[in-house]
């Protein structure tokens, strides 16, 4: 898988740069996989242990996001995994994001906490020809999730969601 090779090369470069204590920035034109694609990727490591990730265009299945920016107060990258602690997304002011991705198992863990007791927990296996993701919602504002709603369904305009959602798919889409 071409994107996995690029990702491992990125890890090796970042580990060597952070070991020297130098500021480091990397730009990647695009990454594509059966699950997602991203263009205009810039990763900067401005301070000891922090990171700033900007993505001009990010697409998951049929949903596209523009100008995604994530700042991680604590960022760890090794040849095995990448971890972001105390992450902040520009699109969700006041929310905190924690995530971990294992390169070997291709397992993703993500936790997003916002005000009012709102939280989302995501665990997914992204390796192989198929992928599966489980999402646990607690007081999740339905209106904020509307961008991820299937186009054929009516969009929510209010309310909160609680429960667990499981999705699976492949390059062709959701199953």
């Amino acid at each position: 898988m071409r994107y996995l090779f690029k990702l491992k090369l990125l890890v090796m470069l970042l580990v060597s740069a952070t070991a020297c204590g130098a500021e480091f920035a990397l730009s990647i034109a695009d990454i594509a996989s059966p699950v997602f694609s991203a263009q205009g990727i810039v990763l900067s490591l401005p301070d000891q242990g922090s990171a700033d990730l900007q993505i001009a265009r990010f697409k998951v299945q049929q949903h596209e996001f523009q100008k995604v920016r994530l700042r991680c107060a604590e960022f760890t990258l090794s040849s095995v995994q990448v971890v972001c602690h105390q992450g902040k997304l520009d699109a969700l002011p006041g929310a905190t994001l924690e995530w971990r991705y294992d390169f070997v198992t291709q397992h993703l863990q993500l936790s997003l906490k916002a005000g009012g007791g709102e939280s989302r927990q995501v665990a997914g296996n992204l390796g192989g020809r198929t992928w599966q993701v489980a999402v646990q919602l607690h007081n999740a504002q339905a209106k904020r999730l509307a961008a991820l709603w299937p186009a054929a369904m009516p969009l929510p305009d209010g309310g909160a969601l609680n429960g667990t959602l499981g999705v699976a798919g492949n390059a062709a889409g959701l199953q």
Side-chain angles (χ1 to χ4, degrees):
M1 299 173 103
R2 195 178 94 220
Y3 74 93
L4 190 57
F5 172 75
K6 287 181 182 179
L7 205 49
K8 286 184 178 184
L9 179 61
L10 166 67
V11 169
M12 291 187 308
L13 288 171
L14 290 175
V15 168
S16 64
T18 56
C20 298
E23 185 173 324
F24 184 79
L26 177 71
S27 296
I28 300 173
D30 65 272
I31 294 177
S33 81
V35 179
F36 74 92
S37 66
Q39 288 83 37
I41 305 157
V42 178
L43 176 65
S44 302
L45 303 173
D47 298 322
Q48 189 68 7
S50 68
D52 186 21
L53 175 66
Q54 297 180 50
I55 304 172
R57 182 174 164 251
F58 182 71
K59 186 174 182 183
V60 179
Q61 295 297 325
Q62 290 78 26
H63 303 287
E64 185 174 313
F65 305 92
Q66 303 277 336
K67 298 180 182 177
V68 176
R69 185 169 185 186
L70 169 67
R71 291 180 196 88
C72 299
E74 296 176 31
F75 183 76
T76 307
L77 182 62
S78 71
S79 60
V80 177
Q81 67 182 355
V82 59
V83 181
C84 172
H85 290 293
Q86 300 172 9
K88 302 288 182 190
L89 278 167
D90 283 359
L92 297 171
T96 302
L97 178 71
E98 305 274 335
W99 61 272
R100 173 184 311 265
Y101 180 75
D102 186 294
F103 296 119
V104 177
T105 63
Q106 296 183 10
H107 183 76
L108 172 71
Q109 290 178 298
L110 183 140
S111 172
L112 178 70
K113 294 182 181 177
E118 181 179 0
S119 69
R120 302 170 202 159
Q121 307 287 325
V122 177
N125 291 311
L126 307 179
R129 294 177 186 249
T130 61
W131 54 269
Q132 59 187 24
V133 175
V135 181
Q136 189 174 26
L137 305 172
H138 181 71
N139 287 336
Q141 299 305 304
K143 193 172 185 176
R144 289 191 214 197
L145 299 173
L148 301 175
W149 229 252
M153 291 182 66
L155 295 178
D157 60 0
L161 300 172
N162 292 288
T164 302
L165 172 67
V167 293
N170 57 27
L174 290 175
Q175 297 177 337

